[in-house]
Amino acid sequence: MLRDAIRSLAEAKIAPYAAEVDEEARFPQEALDALVSSDLHAVHVPETYGGAGADALATVIVIEEVARVCASSSLIPAVNKLGSLPVILSGSEDLKKKYMTPLAKGDGMFSYCLSEPDAGSDAAGMKTKAVRDGDSYVLNGVKRWITNAGVSDYYTVMAVTDPTKRSKGISAFVVEKSDEGVSFGAPEKKLGIKGSPTREVYLDNVRIPADRMIGEEGTGFATAMKTLDHTRITIAAQALGIAQGALDYAKGYVQERKQFGKPIADFQGIQFMLADMAMKIEAARQLTYAAAAKSERGDADLTFQGAAAKCFASDVAMEVTTDAVQLLGGYGYTRDYPVERMMRDAKITQIYEGTNQVQRIVMARNLP
Ligand SMILES: Cc1cc2nc3c(=O)[nH]c(=O)nc-3n(C[C@H](O)[C@H](O)[C@H](O)COP(=O)(O)OP(=O)(O)OC[C@H]3O[C@@H](n4cnc5c(N)ncnc54)[C@H](O)[C@@H]3O)c2cc1C
């Protein structure tokens, strides 16, 4: 029922703008409005704070179905979870009430600020600093590649509070867009997910009350990593949705397109490609849903499973979307058809929330 509801909404209110959003590299406001009005923009927020209280699997299905028609739009529910999960996992009750309530209402989105210009895969090498001053912390630094920066009202920011302790000297904070000293860089000009703004976040002597710290001092990096264990599964869901969208489109196209006097779908060479695409998608789906169940239960092997789901599903998305372009021949290579957009969008799922090399490092360290 949930899938049917989201699919109808996505097809009616999000899909019609997907090509335009990509072409113009503009934020998918129509998608945000549609998701907010159906309470699907941040489904993971617990009911206690006015949220829909969806479990990890339901959240995955929402993201998958939105990504099936528009990958950029699927970053609305996905990044709202990524940005706010540190507060849900480690924040004080006051912090949860203060920030989860407007998020649930659709009054403000959340972004997640871990990466920096010189700290990507090695996120613990960050330089952004937070210095205690009485009842405040003062933050200075640059966060890079921040999804939905400028659009979001709230930012979870990881910053160094004790430079002698590396990852154990990092703390997490909630920073608001309206805090004095917060500003944003120009939107990055990207290969795909062009509708999702990616910008730098500048923190220039940003003074925030000390109670905006998420959890204890020095626990921010652990919270950031624990968050990724859960949210990598949402990237797997995004990849899965993109792949399914490409397969669905190609499946229809091969029935219509005639060469050598018959639909190309009649050729076994084409049928085998479609079979492989569907098989890979189904394997990715099973891995992703199993990981979502582990996320919900907090199983001990979540770290391995989340990394495996993200890595596998994103590789599948890249293969399937590339094959979808192939199935459309020359037409697939043009922007008159959606599969080249899907191929460009798929690529990022192999890169963010840890590249697939980093996922393999994570899996190798947590072998079942
Ligand atoms: C569109 C977009 C949106 C993003 N959104 C966010 C966001 O909202 N919040 C956020 O905090 N970050 C975000 N990121 C950042 C993203 O998570 C990083 O880009 C990613 O973690 C890789 O870091 P890097 O780009 O610095 O690459 P690097 O770390 O410089 O890696 C370069 C290459 O080296 C490889 N490599 C690095 N170390 C190793 C190793 N030990 N072994 C093997 N290979 C290695 C990598 O896999 C990669 O292939 C986003 C990035 C993009 C492009």
Side-chain angles (χ1 to χ4, degrees):
M1 280 169 63
L2 176 71
R3 186 188 298 283
D4 287 349
I6 302 155
R7 186 164 291 195
S8 328
L9 177 98
E11 284 184 347
K13 303 212 166 135
I14 299 175
Y17 304 99
E20 183 185 308
V21 156
D22 172 68
E23 191 74 33
E24 294 174 7
R26 68 164 177 86
F27 182 73
Q29 188 61 42
E30 298 87 350
L32 177 62
D33 294 344
L35 291 167
V36 169
S37 65
S38 305
D39 207 9
L40 292 168
H41 59 291
V43 280
H44 67 286
V45 178
E47 285 167 353
T48 337
Y49 310 109
D55 64 24
L57 181 56
T59 306
V60 153
I61 292 171
V62 170
I63 295 164
E64 178 189 348
E65 286 300 324
V66 175
R68 184 177 157 272
V69 301
C70 178
S72 291
S73 300
S74 71
L75 284 163
I76 293 169
V79 174
N80 272 338
K81 180 164 180 177
L82 173 67
S84 64
L85 202 60
V87 178
I88 295 174
L89 290 174
S90 309
S92 66
E93 198 47 45
D94 284 351
L95 220 48
K96 288 184 203 175
K97 262 193 214 123
K98 182 169 179 194
Y99 291 108
M100 293 309 107
T101 313
L103 172 65
K105 272 197 201 143
D107 288 344
M109 298 209 296
F110 248 96
S111 287
Y112 177 88
C113 306
L114 179 67
S115 308
E116 296 187 358
D118 295 321
S121 300
D122 180 16
M126 68 177 62
K127 297 197 184 97
T128 295
K129 275 198 189 78
V131 177
R132 178 103 195 198
D133 181 26
D135 286 343
S136 321
Y137 277 93
V138 179
L139 277 69
N140 277 289
V142 178
K143 290 292 175 182
R144 195 174 170 93
W145 310 116
I146 305 310
T147 299
N148 293 341
V151 183
S152 291
D153 284 303
Y154 310 115
Y155 298 81
T156 294
V157 174
M158 271 52 78
V160 176
T161 40
D162 184 346
T164 64
K165 293 191 180 151
R166 216 174 126 86
S167 69
K168 293 205 166 60
I170 291 170
S171 305
F173 302 87
V174 179
V175 171
E176 300 185 11
K177 181 181 176 177
S178 57
D179 288 330
E180 211 181 315
V182 174
S183 61
F184 306 98
E188 304 293 344
K189 297 176 192 142
K190 307 192 298 288
L191 173 72
I193 55 158
K194 292 187 177 200
S196 171
T198 315
R199 299 168 70 174
E200 284 189 324
V201 176
Y202 305 121
L203 303 158
D204 183 14
N205 280 321
V206 179
R207 181 177 288 272
I208 57 169
D211 62 11
R212 292 236 217 117
M213 180 182 275
I214 303 169
E216 300 294 309
E217 195 168 296
T219 62
F221 194 74
T223 297
M225 293 302 114
K226 205 167 152 200
T227 297
L228 295 178
D229 280 347
H230 294 276
T231 58
R232 280 177 179 144
I233 302 161
T234 69
I235 301 305
Q238 182 188 41
L240 188 56
I242 297 171
Q244 187 67 56
L247 173 62
D248 289 348
Y249 195 88
K251 216 162 66 182
Y253 183 88
V254 297
Q255 318 274 352
E256 302 292 322
R257 175 70 176 168
K258 289 198 175 90
Q259 289 294 281
F260 302 98
K262 49 182 161 179
I264 58 170
D266 285 359
F267 299 118
Q268 200 175 46
I270 299 282
Q271 293 165 7
F272 281 7
M273 283 179 74
L274 289 161
D276 279 346
M277 290 157 81
M279 173 180 68
K280 289 176 191 171
I281 290 174
E282 198 47 38
R285 179 170 289 116
Q286 296 302 329
L287 199 56
T288 304
Y289 290 5
K294 285 180 188 292
S295 156
E296 194 56 33
R297 291 192 298 259
D299 284 359
D301 57 351
L302 171 64
T303 303
F304 174 86
Q305 198 85 17
K310 188 271 192 195
C311 188
F312 188 82
S314 59
D315 285 350
V316 163
M318 204 61 239
E319 291 165 18
V320 166
T321 53
T322 305
D323 281 351
V325 170
Q326 190 71 18
L327 284 171
L328 268 71
Y331 297 97
Y333 200 65
T334 70
R335 275 186 268 184
D336 298 328
Y337 292 84
V339 289
E340 64 81 36
R341 181 186 83 238
M342 293 166 173
M343 181 177 160
R344 288 186 285 105
D345 287 346
K347 185 62 203 171
I348 190 62
T349 63
Q350 295 180 308
I351 296 173
Y352 57 18
E353 294 207 23
T355 65
N356 281 2
Q357 286 95 329
V358 167
Q359 304 308 317
R360 287 180 168 93
I361 297 172
V362 171
M363 283 187 276
R365 284 184 187 153
N366 293 276
L367 289 175

